[in-house]
């Protein structure tokens, strides 16, 4: 977080999103499986370290995505427009962190 604060001047925190180092996030996109590992300093994907899931989602898709949403950690609830855990059966951040 200190790096993000110094680099951007602010810290973006996703409420309720807490992933432990070592957690693996897997997402299939365009017939390819993408695996991200949570590290102490951010996230590792394709042999590179990234500061956020959003940067990884952008690297994968070529477009701006919410990283937590892209990896199924949160979703936009169609009924009220709010972000929340995925009620469609995807595990929430706590379930992923606890294995």
């Amino acid at each position: 977080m200190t790096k993000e604060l110094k680099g951007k001047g602010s810290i973006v925190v996703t409420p309720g999103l807490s992933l432990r180092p070592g957690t693996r996030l897997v997402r299939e996109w365009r017939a390819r499986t993408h695996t991200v590992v949570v590290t102490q300093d951010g996230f590792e994907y394709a042999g590179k370290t990234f500061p956020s899931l959003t940067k990884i989602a952008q690297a994968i898709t070529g477009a701006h995505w919410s990283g937590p949403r892209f990896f199924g950690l949160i979703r936009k609830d169609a009924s009220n427009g709010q972000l929340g855990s995925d009620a469609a059966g995807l595990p929430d951040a706590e379930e992923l962190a606890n294995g």
Side-chain angles (χ1 to χ4, degrees), residues 55-79:
K55 295 287 187 187
I56 296 171
Q58 186 173 13
I60 292 170
T61 66
H64 180 76
W65 273 77
S66 159
R69 188 170 179 196
F70 179 79
F71 284 98
L73 301 176
I74 59 173
R75 68 176 183 83
K76 188 171 184 179
D77 186 344
S79 64

Side-chain angles (χ1 to χ4, degrees), residues 17 19 25 53 68-69 71-75 84-86 92-93 96:
L17 184 62
L19 300 172
L25 305 173
L53 290 173
R69 188 170 179 196
F71 284 98
L73 301 176
I74 59 173
R75 68 176 183 83
S85 62
D86 194 333
D92 65 16
L96 288 171

Side-chain angles (χ1 to χ4, degrees), residues 37-62:
V37 178
V38 179
T39 66
Q40 285 291 116
D41 298 321
F43 303 91
E44 184 177 310
Y45 169 71
K48 297 178 183 176
T49 300
F50 289 82
S52 70
L53 290 173
T54 298
K55 295 287 187 187
I56 296 171
Q58 186 173 13
I60 292 170
T61 66

